[in-house]
Amino acid sequence: MEIKVLHQVMEWNQDVSRQVRQSLKEKQICLINIMGSPGAGKTCLITELIKRLREEFSIGVIEGDIAGQIDAERIASLNIPAVQLNTDGACHIEAMSIQHILPSFALDNLDVIFVENIGNLVCPAEFDIGENFRITVLSIPEGDDKIAKYPLMFTDTDCLVLNKYDMLPYFDFNEERAARDYRGVNPEAPLFCVSAKTGEGMDELVAHIARKIRQEIQKEELKG
Amino acid sequence: MEIKVLHQVMEWNQDVSRQVRQSLKEKQICLINIMGSPGAGKTCLITELIKRLREEFSIGVIEGDIAGQIDAERIASLNIPAVQLNTDGACHIEAMSIQHILPSFALDNLDVIFVENIGNLVCPAEFDIGENFRITVLSIPEGDDKIAKYPLMFTDTDCLVLNKYDMLPYFDFNEERAARDYRGVNPEAPLFCVSAKTGEGMDELVAHIARKIRQEIQKEELKG
């Protein structure tokens, strides 16, 4: 029963995500969907990415949360346009919400929109929101078994960020196991070990994301 | 659309959870539903609770995971009957699964069944699985803002365990804020600061849970 229901929602979501992707293509905007557990450090990572990418790109942020506007306030304090999307209980963001929110931004002036998805290692991975690429954030304190236990989130992603890497000495986290499990479900996408808090490893990640954004925007230019 | 669907699933779930609760009452078994984010330390907590409660109570465990049987193996290594429930993608456990699994245990010999729900701060809170009481586990590395951001998980619980308390010096976690937010959504239920790993704070938590189990079993005896 439940599977049939999800299927219906997802077919509908697929139509809308195509429309979102088309709108973004016309505006030459790269949408980046950032997913991970509650407390993986997604907002902190976005904050640090903004600081390092804002010279080259004009950035906006959609902050997804069940309730509250704590994260949108953190982003807005950087003078970055931010919209808080409250799902009022829903455990993931759907393309319909992105479609609804996009007109809130001055789209002609934007290059990149970061979407911070609901903190959840399960449901968000099932919903295409029209993104150009996905980043999954896993943090050291969560444990090295999460890839085996929540495979879809690590399979359907373009990049894995292993965050809070500075905490490695304090937790029983087997890096080799995590890397092996990741390669098992996702042989291609890169893995970055970073601490958004201390800055460790951020240069390589920022270089990768900047390159991806340029590719996406250039691709649109070539096509358009 | 989605809200209507959830409503249908949940009405169905409610019927089954009543049946589960009735079966457990007849067998004088206390079912404890343990919820929290991926990596909050639920399995470690259950392991440590088992070690401290097994002299007084006969214990079984249902390990819920999207995929794999890592956690059931950890429990089985303690010589405790454990069943791994794989949801194959679903983000929460429903009462139907518990109903299906219960006959796998020698129910006449059990006092307590711990259910480790899927690591998820959202969906599991919406589904009554027939439990006698709920424990929500939040860990220090997840951050002090999680109660404000995922309120239902902290509202609909009988007990909050703040785990990985030994990690407090390494994270920006404001205990007062977390306690205040918790009181705001749940004025009655207790809060325990523990480290399942080091054992800190476990005595108080174990005493509380043992008392609750005795109450539940005694209550059934008085009724039966």
Side-chain angles (χ1 to χ4, degrees):
Chain A
M1 186 177 171
E2 200 196 10
I3 291 168
K4 199 162 72 183
V5 166
L6 275 173
H7 186 63
Q8 284 177 10
V9 171
M10 286 169 83
E11 276 185 357
W12 181 54
N13 185 70
Q14 215 168 350
D15 292 340
V16 182
S17 68
R18 269 194 293 266
Q19 293 164 22
V20 169
R21 199 166 271 115
Q22 184 58 33
S23 307
L24 292 167
K25 184 176 161 185
E26 285 164 12
K27 296 288 182 186
Q28 297 196 332
I29 294 170
C30 178
L31 191 82
I32 303 175
N33 184 1
I34 302 200
M35 302 182 291
S37 292
K42 296 182 292 301
T43 318
C44 179
L45 183 70
I46 291 172
T47 303
E48 296 304 314
L49 288 174
I50 287 171
K51 289 180 189 166
R52 291 162 171 85
L53 290 166
R54 67 188 304 171
E55 268 193 39
E56 181 172 354
F57 304 107
S58 171
I59 302 171
V61 176
I62 297 173
E63 280 294 337
D65 277 299
I66 306 281
Q69 56 182 52
I70 297 166
D71 290 344
E73 284 166 6
R74 282 170 70 180
I75 301 297
S77 72
L78 302 170
N79 285 319
I80 289 286
V83 175
Q84 180 76 50
L85 164 62
N86 279 343
T87 61
D88 298 330
C91 55
H92 61 273
I93 295 177
E94 293 181 22
M96 180 61 82
S97 296
I98 304 299
Q99 190 176 47
H100 187 69
I101 286 170
L102 283 181
S104 315
F105 290 100
L107 294 175
D108 289 332
N109 302 327
L110 278 189
D111 301 313
V112 182
I113 298 177
F114 287 111
V115 178
E116 181 176 343
N117 219 309
I118 307 299
N120 183 331
L121 264 190
V122 189
C123 320
E126 297 176 29
F127 289 85
D128 178 1
I129 58 170
E131 69 269 33
N132 294 73
F133 67 96
R134 291 179 169 197
I135 298 174
T136 295
V137 185
L138 175 68
S139 62
I140 295 295
E142 291 173 68
D144 55 22
D145 57 349
K146 295 300 166 292
I147 299 161
K149 289 163 88 174
Y150 303 86
L152 188 66
M153 183 59 78
F154 300 90
T155 308
D156 285 0
T157 191
D158 301 297
C159 175
L160 174 58
V161 174
L162 200 52
N163 194 24
K164 307 192 189 179
Y165 196 68
D166 55 318
M167 288 292 120
L168 198 58
Y170 306 106
F171 291 89
D172 302 323
F173 189 102
N174 184 333
E175 273 185 278
E176 283 177 22
R177 180 196 169 171
R180 192 174 60 238
D181 286 353
Y182 180 49
R183 280 294 151 253
V185 297
N186 195 334
E188 301 278 332
L191 164 64
F192 295 94
C193 298
V194 314
S195 168
K197 193 172 165 187
T198 68
E200 182 183 354
M202 285 295 290
D203 288 350
E204 294 82 353
L205 175 64
V206 167
H208 174 73
I209 293 176
R211 201 162 50 238
K212 294 283 280 183
I213 295 170
R214 282 182 223 116
Q215 278 174 6
E216 292 296 329
I217 294 178
Q218 194 187 2
K219 194 165 63 185
E220 309 313 332
E221 279 169 357
L222 290 172
K223 281 181 187 168
Chain B
M1 186 177 173
E2 201 197 7
I3 290 167
K4 198 162 70 184
V5 166
L6 275 172
H7 186 64
Q8 284 176 11
V9 172
M10 286 168 83
E11 275 183 359
W12 182 55
N13 185 69
Q14 216 169 350
D15 292 340
V16 182
S17 67
R18 269 194 293 265
Q19 294 164 21
V20 169
R21 198 165 274 116
Q22 184 58 35
S23 308
L24 292 168
K25 186 176 157 183
E26 285 162 11
K27 296 286 182 189
Q28 297 197 328
I29 295 171
C30 178
L31 191 82
I32 302 177
N33 184 0
I34 302 199
M35 302 183 290
S37 293
K42 297 182 291 302
T43 316
C44 180
L45 182 70
I46 291 171
T47 303
E48 294 305 314
L49 289 175
I50 287 171
K51 289 181 190 165
R52 290 162 172 83
L53 290 166
R54 66 188 304 171
E55 268 194 39
E56 180 173 356
F57 305 106
S58 170
I59 302 171
V61 176
I62 297 173
E63 281 293 337
D65 276 301
I66 306 283
Q69 56 183 51
I70 297 166
D71 290 343
E73 284 167 6
R74 281 170 71 181
I75 300 297
S77 73
L78 302 171
N79 284 320
I80 290 287
V83 174
Q84 180 77 49
L85 163 64
N86 279 342
T87 62
D88 296 331
C91 54
H92 61 273
I93 295 177
E94 292 180 23
M96 181 59 85
S97 296
I98 303 300
Q99 190 176 46
H100 187 69
I101 287 170
L102 283 182
S104 314
F105 290 99
L107 294 177
D108 290 331
N109 302 327
L110 276 191
D111 301 312
V112 183
I113 298 176
F114 287 110
V115 178
E116 181 175 344
N117 220 307
I118 306 300
N120 182 329
L121 265 191
V122 189
C123 318
E126 297 176 30
F127 289 84
D128 178 1
I129 59 170
E131 68 269 33
N132 293 72
F133 67 96
R134 291 180 169 196
I135 298 174
T136 296
V137 185
L138 175 68
S139 63
I140 296 294
E142 293 173 67
D144 56 23
D145 58 348
K146 294 302 167 289
I147 298 161
K149 289 162 88 175
Y150 303 86
L152 188 67
M153 183 59 78
F154 300 91
T155 308
D156 285 359
T157 191
D158 301 297
C159 174
L160 174 58
V161 174
L162 199 52
N163 194 25
K164 305 191 189 178
Y165 196 70
D166 55 317
M167 288 293 122
L168 198 59
Y170 306 108
F171 290 89
D172 302 324
F173 190 100
N174 184 332
E175 273 186 276
E176 284 177 21
R177 180 196 170 171
R180 193 174 59 238
D181 286 354
Y182 180 49
R183 281 291 152 252
V185 297
N186 195 333
E188 300 280 331
L191 164 64
F192 296 94
C193 297
V194 314
S195 167
K197 193 172 165 186
T198 68
E200 181 183 356
M202 285 296 289
D203 289 347
E204 293 83 351
L205 176 64
V206 167
H208 174 74
I209 292 175
R211 202 162 47 235
K212 294 282 280 184
I213 295 169
R214 282 183 223 117
Q215 277 173 8
E216 292 296 331
I217 294 178
Q218 194 186 1
K219 193 165 63 187
E220 307 315 331
E221 280 170 356
L222 290 172
K223 280 180 187 167

